[in-house]
Amino acid sequence: MQAKEAAERLGITQRMLRHYEKEGLMDVSRTFNGYRSYSETDLRRAGRIRDFIATGFSTREIRAMSACLSDEGSGPCEGGIEKLTEKLMHIDRLRAELDDKRNAVLERLATLRNGLSALGTDP
Amino acid sequence: MQAKEAAERLGITQRMLRHYEKEGLMDVSRTFNGYRSYSETDLRRAGRIRDFIATGFSTREIRAMSACLSDEGSGPCEGGIEKLTEKLMHIDRLRAELDDKRNAVLERLATLRNGLSALGTDP
DNA sequence: TGCAACACTTACATTGATGTCAGGCTTTTC
DNA sequence: GAAAAGCCTGACATCAATGTAAGTGTTGCA
């Protein structure tokens, strides 16, 4: 498929798609006229790149674990697991704190409701 | 504590710590001589900021959900849960694919080992 | 007292991801 | 076959996160 459709399906701009290519993250074939032609495989790869970037990885880091980008599980995906696990730790820490906070708010709300019902406002 | 120790304990540079402050993400008190003085609370806050940034959030986004940064669960942490959940989706997608890949490699290894043992190489 | 270590501020430099615009083909459509 | 819409390349612009250096005050130890 052509650039426009690919970008739309991925929810990113053509500019970003070209960027991935120029950064050596993917290799897109061209039709006779020079237009890029994205295969479904290309799409999936680009989708992974998009996710990696959205998760705070740089193209440099992503390039370093390019085995993590192909459909084929051909390589041991050098370092990929470790790096991702690290990111996951960051997320997990944040999420745990957010959850605590959310629970605190919920509790406060519950207490408030209890207080009200204790006053006989509720059956 | 002073800047150096704070930075070391957080595993980041003083420069970044100052950056958080200038970006309005945190407010650090000073001692009489003008030196920054980080409290444990400050450290925790800075740690969260560090994690948010490491997870791909911009200072702009973080500022927008500053309620997620305080120790106190005083606010509903506007938007924080949603944004984090979104990031989590990105990570989860990647991790699922990585896990698949890792399993494929493990399986291949297992098959290989089986093949060898079938040859009687193993007791 | 004087040096070493640390702080502070300000300003410029860099790197990365994206946006945007220009100039020039190709394809489609009326 | 001419206009409209898509694609391409390349250059320049921007914003954010960091690095780094310059110039200066402070603290502490020998």
Side-chain angles (χ1 to χ4, degrees):
Chain A
M1 83 198 61
Q2 292 195 161
K4 188 179 189 183
E5 187 184 347
E8 275 169 2
R9 281 182 51 182
L10 289 168
I12 61 182
T13 65
Q14 296 183 36
R15 176 69 171 79
M16 291 159 79
L17 231 22
R18 259 179 272 130
H19 184 57
Y20 300 167
E21 208 179 332
K22 171 141 19 179
E23 288 296 315
L25 265 34
M26 60 186 304
D27 210 49
V28 184
S29 66
R30 308 297 184 106
T31 53
F32 76 97
N33 57 16
Y35 285 17
R36 287 176 181 76
S37 171
Y38 295 88
S39 67
E40 291 298 323
T41 296
D42 290 338
L43 265 213
R44 280 189 295 274
R45 187 182 182 97
R48 278 171 219 127
I49 297 173
R50 172 205 58 195
D51 284 346
F52 271 116
I53 288 184
T55 305
F57 286 91
S58 67
T59 52
R60 184 175 161 61
E61 290 174 298
I62 301 174
R63 205 180 307 116
M65 47 180 194
S66 57
C68 302
L69 295 174
S70 65
D71 276 357
E72 286 300 315
S74 59
C77 198
E78 321 262 354
I81 303 276
E82 290 73 19
K83 292 243 179 96
L84 249 195
T85 303
E86 202 177 300
K87 288 281 172 189
L88 216 52
M89 270 181 41
H90 289 138
I91 286 239
D92 285 351
R93 272 208 295 266
L94 290 174
R95 200 177 45 163
E97 301 208 21
L98 284 186
D99 281 356
D100 285 354
K101 232 163 262 196
R102 188 214 249 151
N103 286 337
V105 172
L106 288 182
E107 258 180 53
R108 199 164 314 153
L109 275 176
T111 307
L112 214 136
R113 257 199 297 265
N114 272 346
L116 287 180
S117 63
L119 286 175
T121 318
D122 255 347
Chain B
M1 83 201 60
Q2 289 194 161
K4 187 180 190 182
E5 187 184 347
E8 274 169 3
R9 281 181 53 183
L10 288 168
I12 60 181
T13 65
Q14 296 182 38
R15 176 69 173 79
M16 289 158 80
L17 230 22
R18 262 180 269 128
H19 183 57
Y20 299 167
E21 208 179 332
K22 172 141 21 180
E23 287 296 316
L25 265 32
M26 62 186 303
D27 211 47
V28 184
S29 66
R30 309 296 184 107
T31 53
F32 75 97
N33 58 15
Y35 285 17
R36 287 176 181 76
S37 170
Y38 295 89
S39 67
E40 292 298 323
T41 296
D42 288 338
L43 265 212
R44 281 189 294 275
R45 188 183 182 96
R48 278 170 219 129
I49 296 173
R50 172 205 59 196
D51 284 347
F52 270 117
I53 287 184
T55 306
F57 286 91
S58 67
T59 52
R60 186 176 159 60
E61 289 174 299
I62 301 174
R63 205 180 308 117
M65 46 182 195
S66 57
C68 301
L69 295 174
S70 64
D71 277 356
E72 287 298 317
S74 61
C77 197
E78 321 262 354
I81 304 276
E82 291 72 20
K83 292 241 179 94
L84 251 194
T85 302
E86 203 176 302
K87 289 280 174 189
L88 217 51
M89 269 180 42
H90 289 138
I91 286 239
D92 284 351
R93 272 207 296 263
L94 290 174
R95 198 176 48 163
E97 301 207 21
L98 284 186
D99 280 356
D100 286 353
K101 232 164 263 196
R102 187 215 249 152
N103 286 338
V105 172
L106 288 182
E107 259 181 53
R108 200 164 314 155
L109 275 176
T111 307
L112 212 135
R113 259 199 296 265
N114 273 346
L116 288 180
S117 64
L119 287 176
T121 317
D122 257 348

